[in-house]
Amino acid sequence: MATPVVAFAQLATECEKEGLSHKNAERIGQELAKQFNVHPDEVGILRLEKQNLVFVYPTKLGTVGSIPLNTSGSVAARTANTKRAEVINAFAQTKHVSVFESVELSGKPKVVGAVSDDAEKHAHVIQKMMSAPVVGTEGTVGVVEVCRKGSSGPDAGPDFSPMELQKLVAICGALAKCFK
């Protein structure tokens, strides 16, 4: 059985010619979700385009807008700028840009006129997050974020460990060649 990094390196090689197309980003996002035992909507893949980070996965977030690299309070922008990976296991309590969190990703249609259930709304709150830069030969080319959502920290699942962050950093290194 191939190690996760070897498997992602192979996936990156398969995606390299086409680059980070919608189909390839979907494939990578699904594999990252499996690797870290999270839901597919708990993975974010952002590509650096000029001075902005743009979501390529989940695709729906790409239509919401982009994150300028100079945005204070953005974990993704900080990760891209510092080229340092980080784990934040108390993410809901930290100041951060939350516009992307408010986008419905589950695919469940909203019932017009229905009163939104508070528990349902809080179930989509990011409680824990890992963020790692994707660094290619020309510098930072993107950021990968893996999170756990829930109504509370314990409800979201286990904390991310330093070992999981190391694995994400290694995977990001393997994926860099398909970020074009």
Side-chain angles (χ1 to χ4, degrees), residues 161-173:
S161 69
M163 212 155 88
E164 286 175 302
L165 185 63
Q166 284 180 329
K167 187 188 331 180
L168 181 60
V169 168
I171 288 169
C172 286

Side-chain angles (χ1 to χ4, degrees), residues 12-106:
T13 299
E14 292 169 17
C15 298
E16 186 176 12
K17 188 176 180 184
E18 242 181 79
L20 207 52
S21 67
H22 169 69
K23 181 182 82 180
N24 289 339
E26 185 78 27
R27 224 173 124 197
I28 293 167
Q30 297 286 329
E31 286 304 315
L32 283 164
K34 282 184 210 163
Q35 187 61 53
F36 292 102
N37 198 24
V38 298
H39 297 282
D41 71 344
E42 293 176 317
V43 172
I45 302 173
L46 300 98
R47 177 176 39 215
L48 185 61
E49 295 180 4
K50 297 188 174 123
Q51 290 296 304
N52 295 295
L53 288 166
V54 178
F55 275 95
V56 290
Y57 181 86
T59 313
K60 200 171 188 181
L61 293 181
T63 62
V64 175
S66 61
I67 304 168
L69 284 180
N70 63 359
T71 303
S72 65
S74 166
V75 174
R78 181 172 62 235
T79 299
N81 287 319
T82 63
K83 295 182 181 67
R84 280 198 341 256
E86 64 180 306
V87 168
I88 307 169
N89 282 317
F91 186 77
Q93 286 74 49
T94 62
K95 185 176 183 251
H96 63 277
V97 178
S98 60
V99 67
F100 294 99
E101 265 182 286
S102 63
V103 177
E104 175 58 48
L105 295 172
S106 70

Side-chain angles (χ1 to χ4, degrees), residues 60 104-116 120 124:
K60 200 171 188 181
E104 175 58 48
L105 295 172
S106 70
K108 289 186 221 158
K110 293 280 186 198
V111 179
V112 179
V115 179
S116 108
E120 186 183 310
H124 301 293

Side-chain angles (χ1 to χ4, degrees), residues 117-152:
D117 179 359
D118 235 21
E120 186 183 310
K121 189 169 102 182
H122 290 295
H124 301 293
V125 175
I126 296 172
Q127 298 291 338
K128 304 163 191 237
M129 176 185 280
M130 291 191 296
S131 183
V134 180
V135 182
T137 52
E138 63 283 348
T140 302
V141 292
V143 172
V144 173
E145 295 180 330
V146 178
C147 67
R148 292 199 168 106
K149 298 177 182 179
S151 54
S152 67

